[in-house]
């Protein structure tokens, strides 16, 4: 079923980059080029500025009215950045570190904790922050082994004791910078310290060679998951964190579940934001069956984010989440319920590239000067609801991540079948999260079984992830709680803490943390406060 070695390939000889760079499509030939606003930097930083999106002088409505029936779409409609601008951005592109810093410059109030901002200067800066001093630090945390380190952003409230920790994990091929609209609101919660991590082999973390040695399909899945979650556990030990709340988006949510199962006793709460891999698809988990033939994944590249956050709710998810509770439960019990945008056929060439482990980012790297143009096809739609300057900075950040050496991105076919269906679906193991035996650290310490912890599922009402999968997982977790209360020991019943719920963010899609950050942040802060209050009660009771 799996062809698992990372693959590289050569572009056909007829695809010459130089002539393409020299060409201009109709949209880019006349459209003026927007410039990135000047960002402060010191002498050690990269002063080169990216050339970003050309401004589009025609609206969608104008295009429809001016065009004849069945218009032929230009390449500019798919890739807004012109050839010349793309080549210039490729030639003068920012370093990945500087691109990340440019994104972080849009986080209000928080200041970087450096020697320059120490002491009285930090006190002066804090006067503008209504909550006092809040600082962030960027670090590369070395892990055991060769070329293994995680890029970390930590945020703390200076002068306050932090008894609780929130760790944030991004999705496939992304980076911690995409949470830039969440850092300041989440850091308002007293008693918390925040960490956002780039997963090993992604973002600005180290990018060791990715290789799977297992032969059996199940062992391949376990080894691929371990490549990421083992690094997370090693990071936890370096930071000497006993327990924490883990928030994962998309693939980060999938891996958060895997971490909870492999390393029990470390989590207070699990928050899964539009997690990939919840529902089961028989074509994805059975080697005797063909690969899935259709998927909703195409909506990641075709959904217009501005219409999602500004327009009226659309799609079956929006209808589903407003249905009576009884209808939701009925849908959750039926895995064939359609609650997401319509599925689309998976092209045969995509399935071949997927199973051959040809990373989508390798195509961007091979494209050379055309790389920024290809990336603009995603970033223009993904960020078109944001102000122009933020959209441009996020485009530059995205390109800086996508164009780096291939590493963790090669995990895709091991964990997911074409169309983003999990080969080891979360729905088949979610009920065991928080129910593992915690291995004793010493021979004198008895083994203790976990007695559950809260698990929260979040979806956007226009999410291409199936919210019914979240409701199905909620039901399985609740059934496991009932079983624990019926058959557990008296001590286990007293300590029972398992629960699950599904929350839906309005006017949001798959990237709900960025589509509607205000509502998303409010939900997360409430979950943080709930966790903190429970921790205070336990510490007060000596539990």
């Amino acid at each position: 079923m799996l062809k698992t070695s990372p693959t590289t390939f050569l572009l056909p000889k007829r695809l010459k980059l130089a002539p393409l760079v020299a060409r201009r499509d109709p949209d880019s030939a006349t459209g003026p080029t927007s410039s990135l606003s000047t960002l402060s930097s010191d002498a050690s930083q990269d002063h080169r500025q990216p050339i970003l999106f050309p401004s589009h002088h025609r609206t969608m409505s104008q295009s429809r009215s001016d065009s004849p029936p069945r218009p032929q779409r230009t390449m500019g409609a798919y890739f807004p950045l012109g050839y010349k601008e793309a080549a210039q951005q490729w030639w003068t592109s920012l370093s990945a570190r500087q691109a990340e810093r440019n994104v972080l410059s849009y986080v209000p109030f928080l200041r970087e904790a450096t020697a320059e901002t120490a002491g009285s200067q930090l006190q002066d800066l804090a006067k503008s922050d209504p909550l006092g001093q809040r600082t962030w630090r960027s670090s590369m945390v070395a892990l055991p082994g060769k070329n293994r380190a995680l890029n970390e952003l930590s945020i703390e409230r200076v002068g306050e004791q932090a008894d609780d920790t929130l760790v944030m994990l991004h999705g496939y091929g992304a980076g911690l910078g995409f949470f830039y609209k969440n850092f300041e609101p989440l850091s308002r919660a007293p008693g918390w310290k925040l960490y956002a991590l780039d997963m090993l082999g992604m973002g600005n973390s180290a990018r060791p060679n990715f290789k799977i040695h297992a032969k059996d399909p199940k062992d391949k899945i376990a080894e691929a998951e371990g490549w990421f979650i083992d690094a997370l556990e090693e990071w936890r030990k370096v930071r000497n964190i006993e327990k924490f709340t883990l928030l994962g988006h998309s693939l980060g949510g999938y891996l958060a579940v895997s971490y909870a199962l492999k390393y029990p006793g470390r989590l207070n709460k699990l928050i899964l934001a539009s997690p990939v891999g919840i529902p089961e698809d028989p074509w994805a988990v059975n080697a005797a069956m063909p690969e899935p033939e259709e998927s909703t994944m195409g909506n990641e590249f075709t959904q217009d984010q501005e219409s999602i956050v500004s327009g009226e709710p659309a799609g079956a998810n929006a209808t589903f989440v407003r249905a009576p509770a009884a209808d939701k439960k009925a849908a959750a019990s039926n895995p064939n319920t359609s609650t997401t945008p319509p599925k689309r056929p998976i092209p045969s060439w995509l399935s071949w590239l997927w199973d051959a482990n040809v990373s989508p980012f390798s195509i961007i790297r091979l494209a050379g000067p055309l790389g920024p143009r290809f990336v603009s096809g995603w970033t223009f739609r993904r960020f078109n609801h944001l102000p122009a300057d933020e959209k441009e900075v996020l485009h530059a950040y995205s390109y800086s991540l996508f164009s780096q050496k291939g590493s963790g991105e090669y995990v895709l076919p091991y964990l997911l079948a074409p169309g983003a269906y999990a080969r080891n679906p979360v729905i088949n193991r979610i009920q065991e999260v928080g129910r593992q035996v915690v291995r004793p650290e010493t021979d004198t310490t008895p083994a203790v079984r976990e007695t559950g912890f809260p698990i929260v599922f979040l979806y956007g009402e226009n999410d291409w992830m199936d919210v019914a999968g979240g409701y199905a997982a909620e039901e399985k977790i609740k059934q496991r709680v009932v079983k624990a209360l019926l058959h557990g020991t008296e001590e286990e019943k007293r300590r029972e803490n398992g629960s699950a719920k599904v929350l839906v963010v309005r006017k949001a899609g798959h990237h709900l943390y960025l589509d509607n950050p205000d509502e998303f942040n409010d939900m997360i802060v409430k979950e943080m406060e709930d966790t903190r209050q429970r921790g205070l009660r336990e510490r007060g009771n000596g539990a």
Side-chain angles (χ1 to χ4, degrees), residues 171-367:
Y172 175 74
L176 60 85
F178 290 129
F179 292 121
Y180 78 104
K181 284 188 176 292
N182 315 118
F183 293 141
E184 190 277 326
L186 297 186
S187 66
R188 297 173 191 174
W192 285 81
K193 184 170 184 178
L194 275 58
Y195 290 96
L197 302 176
D198 282 341
M199 291 190 286
L200 184 64
M202 296 184 187
N204 283 328
S205 288
R207 296 188 172 228
N209 293 331
F210 182 88
K211 187 175 182 180
I212 298 298
H213 301 88
K215 303 301 181 182
D216 180 78
K218 291 184 178 179
D219 293 337
K220 289 179 180 179
I221 295 171
E223 186 177 349
E225 292 177 352
W227 202 82
F228 298 97
I229 63 178
D230 292 350
L232 176 59
E233 174 65 4
E234 291 164 1
W235 170 84
R236 182 197 65 80
K237 291 180 179 178
V238 171
R239 288 297 181 227
N240 195 30
I241 299 172
E242 182 65 23
K243 298 185 74 173
F244 59 98
T245 295
L246 183 56
L247 187 162
H249 171 252
S250 196
L251 180 63
Y254 172 96
L255 292 171
V257 172
S258 301
Y259 175 84
L261 290 169
K262 186 172 183 178
Y263 295 104
R266 298 305 176 192
L267 298 184
N268 291 315
K269 179 174 286 186
L270 189 59
I271 304 176
L272 308 176
S274 189
V276 72
I278 296 286
E280 182 177 43
D281 186 281
W283 285 268
V285 300
N286 190 335
M289 301 180 73
E291 298 283 29
E293 296 181 352
E294 58 182 12
S295 170
T296 61
M297 186 185 68
N299 292 281
E300 172 69 11
F301 306 98
T302 59
Q303 279 186 323
D304 183 282
Q305 227 53 32
E306 185 174 13
S307 65
I308 288 177
V309 303
S310 302
E312 291 299 318
N317 259 0
T319 303
F320 179 74
V321 298
R322 291 179 173 83
D327 294 341
K328 292 177 181 178
K329 292 183 178 180
S333 64
N334 181 3
N336 295 320
T337 299
S338 176
T339 59
T340 53
K343 293 183 178 181
R344 295 179 174 86
I346 301 175
S348 58
W349 59 266
L350 177 60
S351 295
W352 183 87
L353 291 175
W354 192 295
D355 281 341
N357 210 352
V358 177
S359 161
F361 306 120
S362 65
I363 299 175
I364 292 171
R365 292 188 289 268
L366 285 169

Side-chain angles (χ1 to χ4, degrees), residues 46 93-102 203-204 396-397 400-401 403-404:
D46 194 336
S93 60
L94 293 170
S95 68
R97 285 289 171 187
Q98 185 58 47
E100 179 183 278
R101 296 179 70 86
N102 288 350
N204 283 328
Y397 175 61
S400 75
L401 300 183
S403 60
Q404 292 187 51

Side-chain angles (χ1 to χ4, degrees), residues 3 34 44 49-50 159 191 243 247 250 270 275 344 390 423 431 441 444 490 495:
K3 299 177 183 177
S34 61
S44 64
Q49 297 296 322
K243 298 185 74 173
L247 187 162
S250 196
L270 189 59
R344 295 179 174 86
E390 293 183 38
R423 300 194 186 278
Q431 71 276 7
E441 296 182 358
T444 59
E490 291 302 319
R495 294 173 51 240

Side-chain angles (χ1 to χ4, degrees), residues 111-148:
R111 305 291 182 176
E112 182 178 10
T114 64
E116 289 75 17
T117 59
S120 60
Q121 291 187 25
L122 189 58
Q123 294 282 350
D124 294 338
L125 291 171
K127 293 179 181 178
S128 63
D129 189 339
L131 296 180
Q133 299 180 35
R134 287 180 290 172
T135 61
W136 62 268
R137 290 179 173 83
S138 180
S139 308
M140 283 292 286
V141 182
L143 306 178
K146 183 179 179 181
N147 191 26
R148 298 179 75 249

